[in-house]
Amino acid sequence: MKTLSFTNTIQAPRDRVWATLTGPETYKAWTAAFCEGSHFVGAWDQGARILFLGPSGDGMVAVIAESRPGEFVSIRHLGMIEHRVEDTTSDQVRAWAPAHENYRLDEVPGGCRLTVTVDTLPAHEAFMLETFPKALELLKGLCER
């Protein structure tokens, strides 16, 4: 497992960036870079279970490991959903779970610096390196409107 890091400076207050990052409709807009129709089911509260899904209903099972609204959220991915069946125990899932995805929002002059770290397997590294910057540019555009 490798941890990748991405940073983007957004000319908007941290609270606006947080609301755009986690809002149901705006989440769909910025995560379209990964998969058109991406959405979540659940809450961003610490300890809450949350599902990150594509339009088919397949996706990821996670829990919010830590949440400080407007500052930081840590997502602990626990497994997959395939064909609408949750898998948190197979050898395939155990090879990578738990994996973390963290979002840190720091106040900077004129806005917010968003730093994302994400644990990924080598097989997904190229996709993440190509797609995460695109997603963060979409997020930036939504926040700066």
Side-chain angles (χ1 to χ4, degrees):
M1 187 88 68
K2 185 172 184 178
T3 301
L4 304 176
S5 182
F6 306 92
T7 303
N8 206 336
T9 300
I10 302 171
Q11 302 304 310
R14 284 190 319 181
D15 289 343
R16 182 183 309 156
V17 176
W18 176 267
T20 306
L21 180 75
T22 61
E25 292 307 312
T26 50
Y27 177 88
K28 289 177 186 177
W30 75 266
T31 60
F34 297 101
C35 174
E36 194 70 42
S38 292
H39 61 285
F40 68 87
V41 176
W44 294 91
D45 304 318
Q46 188 163 318
R49 176 181 154 89
I50 190 166
L51 307 177
F52 297 100
L53 305 169
S56 69
D58 291 349
M60 308 281 289
V61 180
V63 66
I64 302 300
E66 187 174 344
S67 181
R68 295 190 313 271
E71 296 178 18
F72 180 78
V73 65
S74 179
I75 303 162
R76 185 172 54 239
H77 294 285
L78 303 174
M80 303 290 299
I81 300 171
E82 292 185 33
H83 309 292
R84 302 194 186 268
V85 176
E86 287 189 24
D87 174 9
T88 57
T89 60
S90 71
D91 289 342
Q92 180 184 2
V93 168
R94 286 184 161 168
W96 60 265
H100 286 84
E101 184 175 339
N102 301 314
Y103 294 79
R104 178 173 309 283
L105 294 80
D106 294 305
E107 194 171 317
V108 296
C112 172
R113 181 178 57 246
L114 175 63
T115 304
V116 181
T117 58
V118 59
D119 296 335
T120 191
L121 291 171
H124 302 290
E125 184 177 350
F127 175 76
M128 290 295 195
L129 287 170
E130 179 182 337
T131 309
F132 239 108
K134 293 175 184 176
L136 294 182
E137 279 302 310
L138 288 171
L139 178 64
K140 177 180 174 127
L142 292 166
C143 293
E144 292 180 349
R145 273 195 220 161

